[in-house]
């Protein structure tokens, strides 16, 4: 069989990504991306997520600081903690508290589908306490705990039912991470147990953040970077190099899974956000197709009180000219966004 010829790529991507197997724009220009609508909301969507949140708030975190694993950064003391998450799983995370002074905000900082090897502080203000949860099943801290450790298997784990799907369970786990952080801070000072929370998540983390934040009134704002799990109606028609490809093939063989995905659509959840939300979308991305990312952003734009702050990056999930400059600006923008969302 003759290999398929690489697609004709629009400029400048023809120079940046020669030989790419896919056109990461998927034929969408800026206007088309800004016109992508969120997926239709299934009956009972909001009620289901609110019930999951109510159930999660009843679970004690039983957070424990491990004796080993601590480290000190210039601005934060870092420890490894274990806490109770959805279904009684004991998950591990990094927690960092300011070296000097009292924290003004707690940040729940998620990650992409590759997991997390260490905390990253580029988006974290000096006066923030932060928990870096690692999703169930993923490395480095929770490999094999509650879900498979590869993205192509993780994204299909439990997809047989709405209640068991790993994407939803990972979103629910974010609420437990927030509780663990506040419980830990309250041990130092009871008033810190009421600290406002802010969410940061990229790719996988951005998608599960969009699913989780709308129902938790402890969050005062969020940054969602190249969020996934948005607009499955489009995602299922678009080949990609990310976890969505495993989902696309699975649904082709198991169309009944489409109903499960409908209750885990980040673009639908985004329409329920009620806090200022910064969304960073990529114009080119073969890993998470941009129409799905923009469906999340456009869902935020439809949400009452969400106050969308949209940034458009040249590309996502790839190295490209000017990337370091765009990233530095994005990091600073998140820190500024956090400051603006805090109560005076």
């Amino acid at each position: 069989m003759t290999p398929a010829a690489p697609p004709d790529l629009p400029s400048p991507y023809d120079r940046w990504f020669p030989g790419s197997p896919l056109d990461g724009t998927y034929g969408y220009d800026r206007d088309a991306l800004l016109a992508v609508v969120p997926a239709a909301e299934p009956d009972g969507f909001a009620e289901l997520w609110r019930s999951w949140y109510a159930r999660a708030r009843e679970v004690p975190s039983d957070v424990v600081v491990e004796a080993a694993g601590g480290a000190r950064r210039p601005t934060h003391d870092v420890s490894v903690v274990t806490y109770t998450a959805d279904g009684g799983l004991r998950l591990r995370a990094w927690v960092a508290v300011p070296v000097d002074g009292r924290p003004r905000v707690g940040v729940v900082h998620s990650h992409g589908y590759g997991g997390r090897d260490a905390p990253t502080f580029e988006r974290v203000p000096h006066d923030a306490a932060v928990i870096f949860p690692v999703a169930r099943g993923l490395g480095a801290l929770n490999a094999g705990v509650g879900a498979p450790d590869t993205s192509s298997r993780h994204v299909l784990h439990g997809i047989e039912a709405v209640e068991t799907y790993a994407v939803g369970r990972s979103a629910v786990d974010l609420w437990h991470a927030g509780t663990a952080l506040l419980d830990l801070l309250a041990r130092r000072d009871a008033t810190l147990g009421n600290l406002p929370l802010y969410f940061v998540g990229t790719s996988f983390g951005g998608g599960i953040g969009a699913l989780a934040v709308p129902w938790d009134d402890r969050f005062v704002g969020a940054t969602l970077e190249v969020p996934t799990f948005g607009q499955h109606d489009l995602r299922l028609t678009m080949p990609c190099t990310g976890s969505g490809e495993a989902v696309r093939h699975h649904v082709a063989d198991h169309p009944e899974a489409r109903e499960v995905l409908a209750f885990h659509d980040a673009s639908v959840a985004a329409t329920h956000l009620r806090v200022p939300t910064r969304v960073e979308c990529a114009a080119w991305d073969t890993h998470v197709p941009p129409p799905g990312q923009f469906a999340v952003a456009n869902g935020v734009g439809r949400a009452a009180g969400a106050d969308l702050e949209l940034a458009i990056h040249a590309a996502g999930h790839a190295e490209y000219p000017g990337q370091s400059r765009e990233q530095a600006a994005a990091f600073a923008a998140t820190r500024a966004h956090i400051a603006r969302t805090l109560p005076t």
Side-chain angles (χ1 to χ4, degrees):
M1 181 181 294
T2 303
D8 292 330
L9 306 183
S11 180
Y13 303 116
D14 55 348
R15 301 190 307 274
W16 291 1
F17 310 118
S20 173
L22 298 169
D23 173 8
T25 70
Y26 291 83
Y28 283 70
D29 61 14
R30 180 190 178 97
D31 289 343
L33 289 168
L34 293 174
V36 176
V37 298
E41 180 170 330
D43 291 341
F45 182 92
E47 293 78 8
L48 177 68
W49 280 93
R50 289 191 183 106
S51 71
W52 285 348
Y53 176 65
R55 189 171 68 195
R57 289 303 305 275
E58 295 176 355
V59 177
S61 69
D62 294 328
V63 60
V64 175
V65 179
E66 297 187 5
R72 185 160 191 164
R73 300 296 179 97
T75 57
H76 288 80
D77 284 325
V78 182
S79 301
V80 175
V81 303
T82 305
Y83 60 95
T84 301
D86 183 64
L89 285 182
R90 294 289 288 173
L91 296 180
R92 302 169 78 211
W94 286 276
V95 166
V97 296
V99 171
D100 298 316
R102 173 188 176 92
R104 286 204 308 146
V105 62
V107 175
V108 179
H109 197 317
S110 191
H111 55 78
Y113 236 145
R116 181 190 289 282
D117 294 325
T120 52
F121 288 86
E122 293 89 349
R123 296 182 187 264
V124 177
H126 292 177
D127 58 357
V130 54
I131 185 166
F132 297 93
V134 179
R136 56 175 58 205
L138 301 182
L141 296 182
N142 295 318
V145 179
D149 62 358
T150 61
S151 62
S152 60
R153 294 170 59 218
H154 192 282
V155 78
L156 297 179
H157 186 68
I159 200 171
E160 296 79 16
V162 171
E163 285 276 350
T164 60
Y165 188 30
V167 169
R169 297 305 93 202
S170 297
V172 171
D173 289 339
L174 295 176
W175 299 328
H176 294 289
T179 298
L181 176 63
L182 294 178
D183 286 352
L184 195 62
L185 293 173
R187 294 178 188 174
R188 300 180 173 215
D189 180 336
T191 63
L192 294 179
N194 295 318
L195 212 62
L197 295 178
Y198 186 97
F199 179 81
V200 175
T202 182
S203 192
F204 165 80
I208 62 173
L211 290 167
V213 170
W215 324 107
D216 189 339
D217 59 7
R218 297 174 299 178
F219 286 99
V220 297
T223 289
L224 312 174
E225 181 192 3
V226 292
T228 190
F229 307 130
Q231 235 306 359
H232 288 293
D233 291 334
L234 289 175
R235 283 170 55 85
L236 291 172
T237 69
M238 296 178 172
C240 69
T241 57
S243 64
E245 190 68 358
V247 176
R248 197 171 66 88
H249 285 288
H250 180 83
V251 173
D253 293 333
H254 304 278
E256 67 278 7
R258 184 65 189 86
E259 181 178 351
V260 174
L261 294 177
F263 284 91
H264 297 85
D265 197 305
S267 71
V268 174
T271 67
H272 290 274
L273 280 160
R274 297 294 182 268
V275 296
T277 303
R278 174 178 170 83
V279 186
E280 299 174 12
C281 294
W284 160 285
D285 197 332
T286 63
H287 212 70
V288 178
Q293 299 180 32
F294 276 83
V296 176
N298 297 338
V300 176
R302 292 185 173 200
D307 188 18
L308 171 66
E309 180 179 299
L310 175 63
I312 301 178
H313 298 323
H317 295 92
E319 295 182 0
Y320 56 93
Q323 180 182 29
S324 59
R325 182 176 64 253
E326 281 194 344
Q327 285 186 331
F331 297 157
T334 289
R335 297 194 300 269
H337 195 253
I338 293 172
R340 290 197 301 274
T341 64
L342 293 182
T344 56

